[in-house]
Amino acid sequence: MGGEEPEHRRLAITLVAVLLLGILELSEGEFKGDYSKISGIIIPGFASTQLRAWSILDCPYSPLDFNPLDLVWLDSTKLLSAVNCWLKCMLLDPNNQTDHPECKSRPDSGLSAITELDPGYITGPLSSVWKEWVKWCIEFGIEANAIIAAPYDWRLPPSLLEERDLYFHKLKLTFETALKLRGGPSVVFAHSLGNHVFRYFLEWLKLEIAPKQYIQWLDEHIYAYFAVGAPLLGAIGTVKATLSGETFGLPVSEGTARLMFNSFGSSLWMMPFSKYCRADGMYLKHFSGSISKGHHTYQCEPEEFQSNNSGWPTNIINIEIPSIRGFDAYPSVSEFSQTNLSSMECGLPTQLSFSAREISDGTFFKAIEDYDSDSKRILQRLKKSYHDDPVLNPLTPWDRPPIKNVFCIYGIDSKTEVGYYFAPSGKPYPDNWIITDVIYEVEGSLVSRSGNQVEGNPGAASGDETVPYHSLSWCKNWLGSRVNVTRAPQSEHDGSDVQVELNVEHHYEQDIVPNMTRSPRVKYITYYEDSESIPGKRTAVWELDKANHRNIVRSPVLMRELWLQIWHDIRVDATSNFVTKAKRGPLRDEDCYWDYGKARCAWPEYCEYRC
């Protein structure tokens, strides 16, 4: 770097990493002193765990067959050469979630199951998920048994994860084994759908152990929870995948992708829902192991009917219905669309709009039941696996989890889809719907695919390309009544561009928008940290400019901040709740670089040029 013989030269960090910040202080997190006792447990997101075959399947017209333990998700070679065989190993029965009669797949285990989905010279980097994360752990001397993956079959709805695979029992044992092995609590890192999995685990745990021991178990086994890219109010991309298909870059048609996605019980787990509606279901688990269900109700606050779009920026679905046939069977839809129907000619198409609540409660799918063969199955699955789930209806707002230290981290200010216009395509199922327009949120405004401004209720920022800001930022409601806000550059900095607002007043369900400036060429990270919080609890929200949903777990900035916060927490001489943001220097050799403008090594107090 900067020399003619790089094999003989390198940049080295000359100060120990703990001195990088000048002063490292410690929180009230109570776990102090020995980082070697902490374990990290990773719960990956949707489609982020390898699936392997557990069958023998001969594939005609292809030299490649499936044998036990062969990679299914994701083996791009077999996907390209034997797509029909591959689909048999991927698809589940949409009614009962059983495997295809000819092939079954099961999640792989260990860290290798989540680091690269399709290992290989070309495919490996393209399918890398947690590989960089693990490399950081190794680089900083973390022991092999300190990082534990918790992979799962991301095709299944939450209740079947436990029923078929005993996943939540195994996850509980994972925490208990880590405590016994290393002598300290664990830090949970969950990404995307993994956050919903962890939420369900916490509710399942309430029914598994005695109520008086629940908080004690959490305090003993979980030190901190890092929620990364959490779709806390859902993600509207699941609507597109359900109606028209989402290929995720795979060489399959959208119709095939739709068939596959809709066969998964988890396809509804990230459906968007209203922040104003909650399920009041009383469930009691007896020590005999049986679960009794009390009266189950789904109630919405008055704000749901007074506000537009269930609090989202716009109506999520705008769909053209081919005729008025069947509306009499659905009073709610008939009433909802009365104004549209009154002005149209009989038999001509009409456009209906649906909010997040009307998607999550099934109103939308009932409205198109006559025109889409999947809708009836989706309604049955929605009721069985979500609305009537004996542990939790996941399509309801999430209150702050009862864990001592909670960090919610996500990307902002990327162009993110927030609404769709659908119309009949004239083709048979599964290609019977097409997207005619898309509404995006772009840094505080709404625009259509053609670039026109759209009316609505945009947030202060936009989302992370996949999950809208409205859903990501719900965790700001977990913060206390007063919040300290700090904005600093993501790159290494000397503190000259750090802005701070102390004791900002915070009200529930009101966004916190700091009065701070931005340099147009600088990517910032904005920290919202409790000034006043629940006694014994600590909450922080980190917003990373332009951080992509899928790539955020590979972000060096995120990994740097995580390490510094954890190092801060284990020091016995610290005095503040959170690590200082006053300065950021390089942590690793590769963070050092040559400053051509000054003809010297950048950050000379940390890096040196060795020949």
Side-chain angles (χ1 to χ4, degrees):
M1 183 192 71
E4 297 178 356
E5 299 180 62
E7 67 271 19
H8 296 300
R9 310 175 185 194
R10 73 181 185 91
L11 293 168
I13 298 176
T14 56
L15 298 180
V16 295
V18 184
L19 298 178
L20 273 172
L21 303 172
I23 301 174
L24 276 176
E25 307 143 307
L26 180 56
S27 66
E28 298 173 351
E30 295 188 12
F31 182 81
K32 302 178 180 181
D34 190 357
Y35 79 92
S36 65
K37 292 184 177 181
I38 294 180
S39 300
I41 295 180
I42 300 173
I43 306 178
F46 181 79
S48 296
T49 293
Q50 288 182 346
L51 302 177
R52 292 191 176 273
W54 198 247
S55 301
I56 300 174
L57 178 62
D58 294 328
C59 301
Y61 314 113
S62 172
L64 301 176
D65 298 325
F66 281 95
N67 293 296
L69 300 183
D70 281 357
L71 192 59
V72 176
W73 184 269
L74 181 63
D75 188 330
S76 56
T77 302
K78 289 183 178 177
L79 171 57
L80 289 168
S81 64
V83 64
N84 290 330
C85 268
W86 181 82
L87 282 172
K88 289 179 181 178
C89 295
M90 284 296 301
L91 290 171
L92 297 175
D93 185 295
N95 296 313
N96 56 25
Q97 295 295 282
T98 55
D99 300 289
H100 190 279
E102 298 181 45
C103 185
K104 67 171 64 174
S105 298
R106 291 295 180 266
D108 202 356
S109 59
L111 283 172
S112 61
I114 66 170
T115 50
E116 284 181 342
L117 299 179
D118 189 8
Y121 182 74
I122 296 176
T123 57
L126 297 175
S127 66
S128 174
V129 185
W130 293 89
K131 186 175 182 179
E132 290 300 316
W133 193 287
V134 174
K135 284 176 63 178
W136 268 70
C137 293
I138 294 172
E139 201 166 337
F140 284 99
I142 302 301
E143 294 295 330
N145 62 4
I147 303 298
I148 306 167
Y152 57 96
D153 193 335
W154 41 267
R155 302 173 298 170
L156 295 176
S159 58
L160 285 182
L161 279 176
E162 177 62 20
E163 183 179 324
R164 195 196 74 180
D165 295 346
L166 290 177
Y167 178 77
F168 298 110
H169 267 95
K170 293 176 182 176
L171 187 56
K172 178 174 179 283
L173 287 173
T174 298
F175 283 106
E176 292 170 348
T177 302
L179 176 62
K180 188 170 185 179
L181 179 66
R182 301 185 60 80
S186 296
V187 175
V188 176
F189 303 102
H191 178 238
S192 193
L193 178 62
N195 292 283
H196 287 292
V197 173
F198 184 60
R199 177 193 184 186
Y200 193 91
F201 167 73
L202 293 177
E203 295 298 319
W204 171 87
L205 191 66
K206 285 182 182 178
L207 304 177
E208 190 63 25
I209 60 179
K212 291 183 178 179
Q213 297 176 357
Y214 176 66
I215 297 299
Q216 179 183 347
W217 190 97
L218 292 179
D219 290 346
E220 290 177 354
H221 294 85
I222 304 177
Y223 171 69
Y225 165 43
F226 289 86
V228 183
L232 297 171
L233 298 178
I236 70 161
T238 54
V239 173
K240 178 172 69 173
T242 300
L243 283 187
S244 62
E246 175 61 73
T247 65
F248 300 105
L250 298 177
V252 296
S253 68
E254 289 186 343
T256 300
R258 183 189 181 196
L259 278 172
M260 183 173 67
F261 185 77
N262 285 353
S263 79
F264 302 157
S266 63
S267 62
L268 301 176
W269 206 343
M270 289 192 291
M271 278 289 178
F273 53 87
S274 173
K275 65 181 180 180
Y276 300 120
C277 300
R278 295 177 180 268
D280 298 324
M282 298 301 294
Y283 297 92
L284 299 174
K285 180 170 181 180
H286 304 287
F287 289 109
S288 62
S290 63
I291 295 179
S292 63
K293 182 171 73 172
H295 182 61
H296 188 85
T297 59
Y298 185 74
Q299 298 178 342
C300 296
E301 300 171 9
E303 289 85 350
E304 168 63 27
F305 307 100
Q306 297 167 2
S307 65
N308 295 325
N309 317 321
S310 296
W312 286 71
T314 184
N315 281 319
I316 291 169
I317 295 179
N318 305 275
I319 191 165
E320 190 177 283
I321 299 295
S323 75
I324 63 173
R325 173 174 57 87
F327 278 133
D328 290 342
Y330 315 124
S332 61
V333 178
S334 298
E335 181 182 348
F336 177 75
S337 59
Q338 189 63 43
T339 55
N340 289 335
L341 292 173
S342 63
S343 61
M344 75 177 216
E345 295 182 20
C346 181
L348 294 181
T350 184
Q351 182 172 285
L352 301 178
S353 298
F354 295 89
S355 66
R357 173 183 59 83
E358 292 162 327
I359 296 171
S360 62
D361 70 7
T363 299
F364 164 68
F365 295 105
K366 198 159 186 64
I368 65 169
E369 191 173 4
D370 284 346
Y371 316 105
D372 192 275
S373 59
D374 258 353
S375 292
K376 189 171 184 178
R377 288 195 296 265
I378 290 174
L379 280 167
Q380 292 171 346
R381 186 188 307 154
L382 185 64
K383 184 177 189 305
K384 178 181 178 181
S385 298
Y386 294 89
H387 293 169
D388 292 345
D389 187 287
V391 173
L392 167 75
N393 179 357
L395 304 179
T396 53
W398 190 8
D399 295 326
R400 185 194 185 281
I403 295 169
K404 286 182 178 180
N405 305 297
V406 175
F407 295 79
C408 183
I409 306 161
Y410 52 86
I412 62 168
D413 283 346
S414 294
K415 187 177 180 181
T416 306
E417 297 173 352
V418 293
Y420 302 107
Y421 284 80
F422 292 96
S425 68
K427 298 179 182 180
Y429 173 86
D431 299 303
N432 52 317
W433 300 105
I434 58 171
I435 295 178
T436 58
D437 203 357
V438 180
I439 300 174
Y440 299 92
E441 59 179 5
V442 182
E443 298 184 16
S445 64
L446 299 178
V447 297
S448 67
R449 188 158 56 184
S450 59
N452 297 322
Q453 292 285 328
V454 177
E455 291 186 2
N457 306 303
S462 53
D464 63 2
E465 287 190 21
T466 301
V467 182
Y469 175 77
H470 175 71
S471 180
L472 292 165
S473 63
W474 174 253
C475 58
K476 284 185 178 178
N477 291 298
W478 300 351
L479 292 164
S481 57
R482 293 194 175 276
V483 178
N484 295 333
V485 184
T486 306
R487 177 170 290 165
Q490 293 184 18
S491 60
E492 289 80 10
H493 61 86
D494 59 6
S496 58
D497 193 17
V498 175
Q499 304 168 70
V500 180
E501 290 184 10
L502 299 178
N503 294 315
V504 176
E505 194 170 343
H506 172 229
H507 300 283
Y508 187 73
E509 290 191 9
Q510 290 186 9
D511 197 2
I512 305 172
V513 183
N515 183 22
M516 295 177 174
T517 60
R518 289 179 180 272
S519 175
R521 296 184 179 181
V522 178
K523 292 181 182 179
Y524 292 93
I525 177 170
T526 306
Y527 311 82
Y528 303 84
E529 299 168 333
D530 277 341
S531 173
E532 293 180 5
S533 60
I534 305 169
K537 308 293 184 185
R538 180 179 58 158
T539 310
V541 176
W542 300 349
E543 293 180 343
L544 281 70
D545 291 357
K546 305 296 183 181
N548 176 281
H549 180 80
R550 294 183 177 90
N551 296 330
I552 191 170
V553 295
R554 300 199 293 265
S555 166
V557 174
L558 171 60
M559 288 185 273
R560 179 195 70 199
E561 295 302 313
L562 288 175
W563 282 113
L564 293 178
Q565 185 62 54
I566 293 172
W567 279 336
H568 164 274
D569 287 359
I570 62 177
R571 288 183 59 86
V572 296
D573 58 345
T575 57
S576 69
N577 281 352
F578 300 96
V579 66
T580 178
K581 316 300 186 296
K583 189 176 184 181
R584 288 293 183 267
L587 278 179
R588 305 174 299 168
D589 283 354
E590 62 189 71
D591 297 331
C592 296
Y593 59 94
W594 186 260
D595 187 336
Y596 287 94
K598 297 181 179 179
R600 70 178 189 187
C601 198
W603 297 97
E605 63 269 41
Y606 302 117
C607 307
E608 63 181 20
Y609 187 72
R610 293 182 181 175
C611 180

